[in-house]
Amino acid sequence: MRRAVEDLEAAGVAAITIEDTDLPLKSDRAGAPELVPLETGVAKIAAALDARRDEKLVIIARTSVAALPEPANLALRCRAYAEAGADAVFLSGAIGQPGLVEVGKSVNCPIVLSSISPAIADAAQAQNSLGCLFKHGLGGHQSHQEAV
């Protein structure tokens, strides 16, 4: 982790996502992703933060817990990563408004979303129902390609 963060920081990247998906992905894997234990995910965030030299480099904890059939640990994982010092949490996978509100109340850092319906995004912003810096949900790879 240290070498990756140092090299990316030296290259001038603005942000790094540290994910909790168990990698490499297994070729026979179907459906929901497998995640590393929570303690491992927290340790990865701590190691990235320890290696960071420039406070402007944003360390984002990326979790696929929302993609699990029953994401019961969604807020728990996000809170643990935020408490470990992650500058933001990135939720990969579709998430409904109740889960989003729960995460928003659990963390004190920005939340990045990979999949969110416009209706949920509009409702969350209109009601200001999140205790976080939710700004915009990414629409997937196509919107990223267009932004770049």
Side-chain angles (χ1 to χ4, degrees):
M1 181 64 67
R2 175 169 295 283
R3 175 81 185 268
V5 171
E6 289 172 349
D7 288 351
L8 290 167
E9 190 173 39
V13 300
I16 299 171
T17 59
I18 308 297
E19 71 177 272
D20 63 1
T21 305
D22 191 11
L23 298 172
L25 296 176
K26 294 160 186 65
S27 61
D28 62 344
R29 183 184 67 90
E34 293 180 24
L35 305 180
V36 298
L38 179 59
E39 298 77 23
T40 302
V42 168
K44 288 171 71 172
I45 297 301
L49 291 165
D50 185 57
R52 175 175 70 178
R53 296 292 167 241
D54 184 353
E55 292 297 317
K56 293 178 185 174
L57 175 65
V58 178
I59 304 293
I60 303 170
R62 181 188 186 279
T63 182
S64 297
V65 71
L68 297 176
E70 295 180 27
N73 294 324
L74 178 63
L76 174 72
R77 274 193 182 254
C78 292
R79 182 174 49 254
Y81 297 152
E83 289 175 354
D87 297 309
V89 292
F90 183 120
L91 301 178
S92 178
I95 181 171
Q97 189 170 357
L100 185 56
V101 170
E102 183 181 354
V103 171
K105 291 177 180 177
S106 299
V107 302
N108 191 22
C109 66
I111 298 171
V112 180
L113 303 168
S114 66
S115 299
I116 186 169
S117 75
I120 291 175
D122 291 345
Q125 288 194 354
Q127 297 172 11
N128 195 19
S129 60
L130 301 176
C132 63
L133 299 175
F134 170 76
K135 295 292 183 189
H136 182 70
L138 303 176
H141 295 286
Q142 182 62 34
S143 61
H144 172 72
Q145 293 289 344
E146 291 172 9
V148 175

